[in-house]
């Protein structure tokens, strides 16, 4: 098993995911695809920056570290060839932990946002933005979506983007958890792809 190669694959996968999460979070600042008149018109959970901070900013560093693992100086330290690599793999555990926290944060924020539903204008809210739903009651009943009078398509917008953030957050959590395990194996066994021409 090539723990360094595996980490590189993880890095390549994590970067597009991080960019997509960033974009989803940015789009959520435009309810129904339109510019909001007030900051209060945007669903509170969007301001928690789950996609921008959790799934992107905190994820970019682990992703770059994983990408670089393959190219680490493998000629080691203290006369031990695999020592440098082992140290890099150990280091990657810490970054995987940071990524795990960020993605977990985004996942939890998305789950809360989906459960609570979007802020929108209802027939009784006098043009202000309120939360017409609670406890995910709108998820199983499309008829209730009509309670949101404006912005048009806000429920679909909210649900689609937060669902994407939820799923991508979960994938990132899984990938970082794998890298924690991979990093532990790499630290104990060394990167088994061989280096300095020993070809192990
Ligand atoms: C769905 O919501 C509408 C409007 O609130 C309600 O009249 C209807 O009974 C609900 N349907 C179900 C299956 O709960």
């Amino acid at each position: 098993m090539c723990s360094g190669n595996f980490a590189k694959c993880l890095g390549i996968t994590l970067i597009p995911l991080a960019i997509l999460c960033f974009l989803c979070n940015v789009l959520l600042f435009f309810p129904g695809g339109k510019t909001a008149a007030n900051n209060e018109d945007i669903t509170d959970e969007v301001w928690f920056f789950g996609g921008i901070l959790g799934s992107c900013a905190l994820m970019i560093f682990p992703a770059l570290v994983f990408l670089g693992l393959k190219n680490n100086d493998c000629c080691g330290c203290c006369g031990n060839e695999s020592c440098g690599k082992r140290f890099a793999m150990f280091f990657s555990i810490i970054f995987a932990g940071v990524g795990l926290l960020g993605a977990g944060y985004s996942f939890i924020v998305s789950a809360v946002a989906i459960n609570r539903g979007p802020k929108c204008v209802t027939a009784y809210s006098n043009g202000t933005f309120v939360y017409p739903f609670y406890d995910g009651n709108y998820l199983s009943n499309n008829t209730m979506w009509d309670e949101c009078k404006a912005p048009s398509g806000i429920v679909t917008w909210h649900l689609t983007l937060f669902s994407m953030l939820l799923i991508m957050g979960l994938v990132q959590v899984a990938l970082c958890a794998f890298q924690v395990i991979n990093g532990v194996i790499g630290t104990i066994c060394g990167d088994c792809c061989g280096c300095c021409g020993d070809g192990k």
Side-chain angles (χ1 to χ4, degrees):
M1 157 141 169
C2 305
S3 45
N5 273 338
F6 179 72
K8 187 169 191 178
C9 289
L10 277 187
I12 291 172
T13 314
L14 283 172
I15 287 176
L17 276 179
I19 294 169
L20 278 177
C21 287
F22 179 89
L23 291 177
C24 283
N25 202 156
V26 168
L27 285 176
L28 280 165
F29 279 104
F30 300 91
K34 288 176 272 296
T35 309
N38 292 301
N39 287 349
E40 290 75 39
D41 299 352
I42 295 167
T43 304
D44 296 355
E45 284 73 16
V46 178
W47 293 100
F48 291 176
F49 294 102
I52 293 173
L53 282 183
S55 279
C56 186
L58 282 180
M59 195 58 64
I60 282 295
F61 296 107
L64 293 178
V65 168
F66 300 161
L67 271 181
L69 280 181
K70 186 74 182 72
N71 308 321
N72 260 294
D73 172 25
C74 57
C75 289
C77 49
C78 320
N80 179 349
E81 278 183 8
S82 61
C83 166
K85 273 225 148 138
R86 283 186 191 197
F87 184 73
M89 292 305 284
F90 171 74
F91 211 56
S92 78
I93 301 173
I94 297 166
F95 278 93
V98 171
L100 201 63
L101 283 181
Y105 172 73
S106 178
F107 176 81
I108 290 166
V109 168
S110 304
V112 169
I114 289 171
N115 187 53
R116 196 177 184 194
K119 257 184 174 177
C120 64
V121 176
T122 70
Y124 311 103
S125 71
N126 290 324
T128 59
F129 280 67
V130 294
Y131 285 99
F133 313 123
Y134 57 90
D135 288 345
N137 60 354
Y138 69 104
L139 291 171
S140 54
N141 187 347
N142 285 17
T143 318
M144 294 179 74
W145 295 16
D146 297 337
E147 284 181 35
C148 278
K149 303 297 180 202
S152 65
I154 179 67
V155 181
T156 315
W157 187 264
H158 178 92
L159 206 52
T160 306
L161 291 170
F162 270 118
S163 299
M164 286 174 69
L165 281 177
L166 185 84
I167 293 164
M168 290 191 286
L170 196 62
V171 170
Q172 289 176 324
V173 164
L175 292 179
C176 286
F178 271 129
Q179 178 54 25
V180 169
I181 297 166
N182 181 43
V184 170
I185 293 171
T187 305
I188 297 169
C189 309
D191 185 322
C192 307
C193 281
C195 53
C196 305
D198 65 351
K200 266 189 294 187

